[in-house]
Amino acid sequence: MTSTLKISHLTKRFQAVEALTGVSLAVEPGMRVALLGHNGAGKSTLMKIVLGLIPFDGGTVEVCGAAPGSPRARAQVAYLPENAAFHPALTGEEQIRQYLSLRGENPRQAMDLLARVGLADAARRRIGTYSKGMRQRVGLAQTLIGRPKLLVLDEPTSGLDPVSRRDFYALLDGLAAEGAAILLSSHVLTEVEARTDRILILSRGRLVAEGTLADLRHRAALPVALHVTPANGYAADLAAVLPGARPGAGGQLHLDCPQSEKLALLARIAGQGARVADLDLVPPSLEDIYSHFSRRDGQ
Ligand SMILES: Nc1ncnc2c1ncn2[C@@H]1O[C@H](COP(=O)(O)OP(=O)(O)OP(=O)(O)O)[C@@H](O)[C@H]1O
């Protein structure tokens, strides 16, 4: 399969700052990729290079088989900045019609595009009356002009409430299902965990981890947390057979266990039979995994 976006050994320097160092990655059609990293990690720089807005110093970048910023690449890429700004006096329909005209497309598509992002009913209201979530949808409608093959979304859900976020990701799911590749940056790890196929972690301009959440979880090999609730009167007995268990609220016992010892420990707990009232097993969250990888170089 031809990658929609292919980056090899990309390097970018701003005077003394090495913003990107040897970054290589590929995004395939229909893939939803999350770009994570601390402030200053290089996410925006990477996006700007993909969009052809700034030059790079070394390596290669191919956007839909073309050079970033070339007419062929620009025709197939769409960008949604973190805070998309629109003219408050225009209606959603007028704004999208204007963008369609600028792109040389038929302005009559505006209502269809707005309907796709759930704004059909509000299309004839001024954007000044829209909520932040609705404005982001106008932004997404604008990115859909010309059926782009790659969507670059810079923190697209920042400032949105949980329901608007969920709706926004549902729209992205639909676009990915139609074959669009999506590269988005986010600081909200829980939503990325559930709604993307691949995770890239940048730290000080270097790609320190890349893969599915399962890959990263496996590679990080972080301990699993176990919360054991003893049956009435058996707390001391269980604590005796679970060395290292820490007492917690409600009489629970907490344990951290290396992945390699998880099954043996579960068998030991199961062997306690009715002395155990309940057991919760909590795998490392994306936040734990993110901290593990992004702190490796001392950040
Ligand atoms: N035009 C510029 N001139 C000088 N340094 C820059 C410029 N643009 C970015 N940098 C530096 O390059 C590094 C990467 O910045 P970048 O904006 O890509 O990070 P980011 O991961 O997008 O951060 P954030 O999450 O805060 O948006 C930072 O050290 C930043 O200060």
Side-chain angles (χ1 to χ4, degrees):
M1 194 191 300
T2 313
S3 301
T4 306
L5 172 66
K6 198 160 180 220
I7 296 179
S8 273
H9 304 103
L10 176 64
T11 299
K12 171 71 184 175
R13 176 175 271 285
F14 294 106
Q15 294 95 35
V17 179
E18 188 96 24
L20 295 171
T21 307
V23 173
S24 298
L25 60 98
V27 184
E28 314 300 341
M31 198 185 262
R32 301 162 303 167
V33 177
L35 191 56
L36 309 182
H38 294 312
N39 295 125
K43 306 178 296 293
S44 302
T45 302
L46 182 74
M47 288 185 166
K48 284 179 194 161
I49 289 172
V50 169
L51 295 165
L53 298 176
I54 56 172
F56 50 98
D57 301 321
T60 57
V61 180
E62 264 182 43
V63 180
C64 303
S70 64
R72 194 147 70 88
R74 282 170 53 193
Q76 303 187 78
V77 176
Y79 172 57
L80 180 61
E82 182 181 346
N83 284 306
F86 303 102
H87 200 301
L90 295 182
T91 66
E93 185 187 10
E94 286 164 347
Q95 183 73 81
I96 296 298
R97 285 179 71 94
Q98 195 182 47
Y99 283 124
L100 283 160
S101 303
L102 286 170
R103 288 283 296 257
E105 301 263 349
N106 186 344
R108 291 214 185 112
Q109 298 171 44
M111 283 307 279
D112 281 350
L113 289 171
L114 288 162
R116 282 194 72 185
V117 298
L119 282 180
D121 292 343
R124 300 209 159 102
R125 256 170 57 194
R126 287 172 192 226
I127 294 175
T129 69
Y130 285 11
S131 67
K132 164 122 198 196
M134 292 165 84
R135 287 199 301 277
Q136 283 301 86
R137 283 158 182 258
V138 176
L140 192 60
Q142 173 246 307
T143 64
L144 299 182
I145 293 172
R147 297 183 78 82
K149 295 209 169 83
L150 175 63
L151 300 182
V152 179
L153 314 174
D154 197 356
E155 296 188 40
T157 58
S158 95
L160 298 192
D161 64 51
V163 173
S164 306
R165 280 184 179 173
R166 195 195 54 204
D167 292 351
F168 193 87
Y169 275 97
L171 286 169
L172 295 188
D173 293 348
L175 297 173
E178 289 168 17
I182 296 168
L183 178 67
L184 65 89
S185 65
S186 177
H187 287 289
V188 188
L189 303 185
T190 41
E191 68 183 26
V192 162
E193 184 163 8
R195 306 308 291 256
T196 55
D197 307 303
R198 229 174 162 70
I199 292 165
L200 307 175
I201 302 179
L202 273 179
S203 179
R204 293 187 178 178
R206 289 176 194 274
L207 195 58
V208 291
E210 184 197 353
T212 62
L213 185 59
D215 292 339
L216 299 188
R217 189 165 272 153
H218 181 73
R219 231 175 296 151
L222 294 173
V224 178
L226 281 95
H227 307 301
V228 184
T229 309
N232 265 345
Y234 287 105
D237 292 9
L238 279 187
V241 294
L242 297 173
R246 306 178 306 279
Q252 273 197 334
L253 296 170
H254 302 297
L255 291 136
D256 292 323
C257 162
Q259 295 279 354
S260 56
E261 293 167 25
K262 182 177 68 182
L263 291 180
L265 180 60
L266 283 174
R268 187 152 18 116
I269 295 169
Q272 296 304 308
R275 294 179 197 175
V276 179
D278 201 0
L279 168 68
D280 289 315
L281 193 145
V282 184
S285 67
L286 178 56
E287 255 144 57
D288 300 327
I289 295 168
Y290 171 72
S291 303
H292 169 81
F293 285 109
S294 52
R295 277 192 199 139
R296 240 182 5 187
D297 65 354
Q299 271 197 341

